C-alpha cells in the first residue's frame, strides 16, 4: 500500500523542477502527478500555507475559491474527473508555491507521517462528509477580513484535517477537522459580536493597535 510520503513526493519533484527551470507550477500538473487522489492532495497542499497566523492577503480569495470547488467535487464524489481547463491551467504564484513547498517538506520530514498508509477505499458517506467539511472550512477561509491574525489558521487546519481524514480513512482526523472549523467559526462570531458592541470603526482601531504591537514586538 502507498504511504502519505509516497503520495506527496511527486509534488515535491514538480516544485523543484519548476524552480530549477524558472517556470510556473500549474494546478493541472499537481492533479496529474498524484492520480485519482489528486484533488484531495491538492486541496490539502493549497490549504497548508494559510495555517500561518499571518494573513496571506489577496492570495486568499483564489485559494478559497479552489477549495470550495474541491469540497463540492469531493462531496459529489467526482474527484478529478471533469476539472475544467481553466482550473487545470491555473498557475500558482511563485511566492505561494514556495510556501506550499515549505509546508510539504516539513510534513515529509516527519518520520511518523512517512509511514502513514493511505486508505485503500472509504465509504461514499464518509467521503461526502469530508467534502462537506472542506466546503464549510473553505467558506470560512474566504471571508474577507484582511491582515487579521488567526482568521485563516483554523479554517486552513480544518481543510487539511478533512483531507487527511479522507486520505487515511481516519475518523479522528474528521473530528479534528470539525473542531478546527468550529474554532474558526467562533473567531468570526467573536468578531461579529465586537462589531455589534463597538462598531466597525472601533474594531478597526482595535485591530490597528494590535497590528502595531505585533509589528513592534
Amino acid at each position: 500500500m502507498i504511504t502519505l510520503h509516497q503520495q506527496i513526493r511527486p509534488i515535491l519533484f514538480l516544485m523543484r523542477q519548476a524552480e530549477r527551470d524558472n517556470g510556473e507550477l500549474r494546478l493541472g500538473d499537481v492533479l496529474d502527478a498524484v492520480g485519482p487522489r489528486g484533488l484531495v492532495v491538492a486541496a490539502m497542499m493549497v490549504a497548508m500555507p494559510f495555517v500561518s497566523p499571518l494573513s496571506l492577503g489577496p492570495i486568499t480569495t483564489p485559494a478559497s475559491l479552489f477549495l470550495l470547488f474541491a469540497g463540492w467535487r469531493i462531496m459529489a464524489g467526482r474527484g478529478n474527473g471533469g476539472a475544467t481547463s481553466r482550473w487545470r491551467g491555473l498557475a500558482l504564484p511563485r511566492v505561494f508555491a514556495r510556501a506550499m513547498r515549505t509546508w510539504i517538506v516539513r510534513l515529509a520530514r516527519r518520520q511518523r507521517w512517512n509511514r502513514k498508509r493511505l486508505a485503500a477505499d472509504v465509504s461514499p458517506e464518509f467521503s461526502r462528509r469530508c467534502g462537506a467539511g472542506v466546503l464549510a472550512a473553505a467558506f470560512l477561509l474566504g471571508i474577507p477580513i484582511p491582515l487579521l491574525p488567526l482568521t485563516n489558521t483554523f479554517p486552513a487546519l480544518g481543510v487539511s484535517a478533512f483531507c487527511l481524514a479522507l486520505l487515511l480513512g481516519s475518523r479522528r482526523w474528521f473530528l479534528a477537522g470539525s473542531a478546527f472549523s468550529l474554532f474558526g467559526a467562533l473567531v468570526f462570531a467573536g468578531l461579529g459580536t465586537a462589531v455589534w458592541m463597538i462598531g466597525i470603526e472601533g474594531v478597526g482601531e482595535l485591530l490597528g493597535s494590535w497590528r502595531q504591537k505585533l509589528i513592534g514586538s
Side-chain angles (χ1 to χ4, degrees):
M1 293 178 64
I2 190 171
T3 64
L4 183 62
H5 180 260
Q6 290 170 331
Q7 183 74 82
I8 64 178
R9 188 167 53 190
I11 302 179
L12 284 173
F13 174 78
L14 283 176
M15 289 179 169
R16 294 191 190 101
Q17 189 175 37
E19 289 184 7
R20 183 186 61 198
D21 300 338
N22 200 25
E24 293 181 330
L25 181 66
R26 298 189 179 277
L27 185 58
D29 297 332
V30 174
L31 295 176
D32 293 339
V34 287
R37 296 185 176 98
L39 192 61
V40 181
V41 176
M44 183 175 68
M45 297 298 106
V46 168
M48 278 186 171
F50 295 98
V51 172
S52 169
L54 300 179
S55 172
L56 297 184
I59 299 176
T60 308
T61 299
S64 61
L65 289 175
F66 166 71
L67 292 173
L68 285 168
F69 167 78
W72 170 70
R73 294 197 70 84
I74 294 170
M75 187 171 61
R78 298 183 181 181
N80 293 355
T84 64
S85 58
R86 177 180 298 180
W87 283 107
R88 294 182 61 82
L90 180 65
L92 300 176
R94 292 181 182 178
V95 174
F96 186 69
R98 282 196 293 269
M100 282 179 57
R101 183 182 176 187
T102 299
W103 282 98
I104 296 172
V105 169
R106 289 179 183 177
L107 181 64
R109 285 177 178 172
R110 296 181 179 274
Q111 294 300 320
R112 179 185 175 191
W113 285 105
N114 288 349
R115 295 190 296 268
K116 287 285 185 179
R117 296 190 178 278
L118 302 187
D121 196 12
V122 295
S123 68
E125 179 62 26
F126 187 67
S127 180
R128 282 194 293 270
R129 290 180 181 178
C130 290
V134 171
L135 195 66
F139 175 78
L140 292 174
L141 183 66
I143 295 177
I145 301 181
L147 304 179
L148 180 61
L150 298 180
T151 53
N152 292 340
T153 301
F154 291 115
L157 285 171
V159 171
S160 300
F162 284 124
C163 290
L164 281 171
L166 191 53
L167 289 171
L168 303 176
S170 171
R171 297 191 180 278
R172 290 183 180 179
W173 277 109
F174 179 84
L175 292 175
S178 301
F180 288 136
S181 299
L182 178 59
F183 289 147
L186 290 175
V187 168
F188 288 110
L191 288 172
T193 303
V195 170
W196 177 72
M197 294 179 65
I198 63 177
I200 295 178
E201 294 181 357
V203 172
E205 293 177 0
L206 182 63
L207 295 180
S209 62
W210 190 6
R211 284 197 294 268
Q212 288 178 358
K213 289 180 180 179
L214 288 175
I215 294 172
S217 61

